[in-house]
Amino acid sequence: HRVSGLERGFGVVRVDAAGGRATRHASVMEAPWRDGVRDGYFAFLGEAAGVYQGADWRGRLMALDDRSFVEHIRQRGWDPGTYEWMVPELETFFGIPDQVSAAAVLRQYGGGPPVIRSFPGGNSFLTRAMLAGLRTVPRTSATVVAVEQSVSPRRDYPPLRVVWFEGGRLRAARTRAVVMAGGAFMTKHVVRELPAAKLEALQQVVHAPVAWVNVLLRDARAHDTDGLPPLAIMGGTRASLMLAYDKLRAPTGEPPDPGRPVVLGLSLAFNAPGQPARAQAAVGRQALLDLPFGTFEGWVKSDLQLALGSAGLDVERDIVGISVCRWGHGYAYPEIGLLSGGALERARAPEG
């Protein structure tokens, strides 16, 4: 189902670091910023709007893949505060803001309003659809640790050997073909004897960690009166993005019931600014996996009370449940040179 409401763009929630108070704005156009930052941000949006114009657009875009977005701002002469303002947006889209390629950022913003589709039941629809096509019951308690070619003295034996861990011990079976339907960040470790060019390409791709938190509210009163569009960039908070799922639905013409439960989504990036992208991903991934649930709960309550407290939200009263999805390899990260160097094409090419 194609979702609606994105034509309104991003809302903005900004927390005043000195006063500790948050303001909400229905559009970035209404956000409070000093003139130099405003000028730099709109100069960037103007450049992004022309990214796909002209027959030579790809060459012009890839020419910017040799620098970070931070360096691009410096070369353009825009106010340095432009980058600081955009950090929450860059964390939302890429996970690691300070090493991302300028070409990747312009490509992201130059595509116009994004087409976002939702599946019944969320992204797990993809897994359910894949499993529905299988002829056998999947081994959900088995973890594959190796796929390798195995020579046998018997010519009628299948050439591939699959090794998996199940029930406390390793097991193995032979087969003629294997479909690797997981992330490439695991395929490079599981599939043995990958061609050198393929393995090198897979190893060039850095995966940035991110946490996605869903928060169930007992009613929609604060949600309906906060004045924000479905997507709001958050600054000065631990989360960088707030998504109001219910606002993505096409209007029915009937006034919504303020007593209905609603779910808010929050995106939290994990990085270590100043380090190389791969080091940031490793540090962030370890932090993401080590954090206790209580830390996430504290962040969520603090952020939402700041963001929606003036709309009537009381986090102790209104939050019914919190779920945390820890995506250690959430983003294929476009650091400098990745888009133009050919590694992505080699990584995506099928083998076998």
Side-chain angles (χ1 to χ4, degrees), residues 69-112:
F69 184 59
V70 177
E71 179 61 25
H72 186 70
I73 290 176
R74 188 179 301 114
Q75 291 184 10
R76 288 290 190 265
W78 300 335
D79 191 302
T82 305
Y83 168 75
E84 297 302 328
W85 173 269
M86 292 183 65
V87 162
E89 297 181 41
L90 298 172
E91 286 188 328
T92 294
F93 291 134
F94 305 107
I96 300 173
D98 64 339
Q99 303 293 322
V100 66
S101 158
V105 178
L106 287 162
R107 183 182 69 167
Q108 176 76 27
Y109 282 78

Side-chain angles (χ1 to χ4, degrees), residues 19-52:
R21 299 182 60 184
T23 56
R24 297 187 303 275
H25 309 275
S27 166
V28 293
M29 308 300 179
E30 304 171 8
W33 42 17
R34 55 186 176 83
D35 289 343
V37 175
R38 176 188 294 271
D39 293 344
Y41 188 73
F42 281 97
F44 158 69
L45 292 180
E47 181 178 10
V51 161
Y52 294 109

Side-chain angles (χ1 to χ4, degrees), residues 12-16 22 85 88 232-241:
V12 176
V13 176
R14 303 294 290 191
V15 175
D16 178 5
W85 173 269
I233 297 295
M234 302 180 72
T237 53
R238 183 59 185 85
S240 59
L241 175 77

Side-chain angles (χ1 to χ4, degrees), residues 197-198 200-202 204 341-351:
K198 177 79 168 184
E200 180 188 11
L202 290 173
Q204 286 186 41
L344 283 179
E345 290 73 15
R346 294 193 300 274
R348 290 169 177 156
E351 290 292 340

Side-chain angles (χ1 to χ4, degrees), residues 156-209:
D156 57 336
Y157 265 35
L160 297 179
R161 183 169 177 260
V162 179
V163 182
W164 71 93
F165 184 81
E166 182 181 17
R169 66 187 185 90
L170 291 174
R171 302 168 185 265
R174 289 181 175 274
T175 184
R176 288 182 170 79
V178 172
V179 176
M180 296 298 296
F185 51 86
M186 292 304 299
T187 297
K188 65 184 180 182
H189 297 293
V190 173
V191 179
R192 311 297 166 85
E193 302 169 335
L194 277 173
K198 177 79 168 184
L199 182 59
E200 180 188 11
L202 290 173
Q203 290 175 336
Q204 286 186 41
V205 181
V206 174
H207 288 83

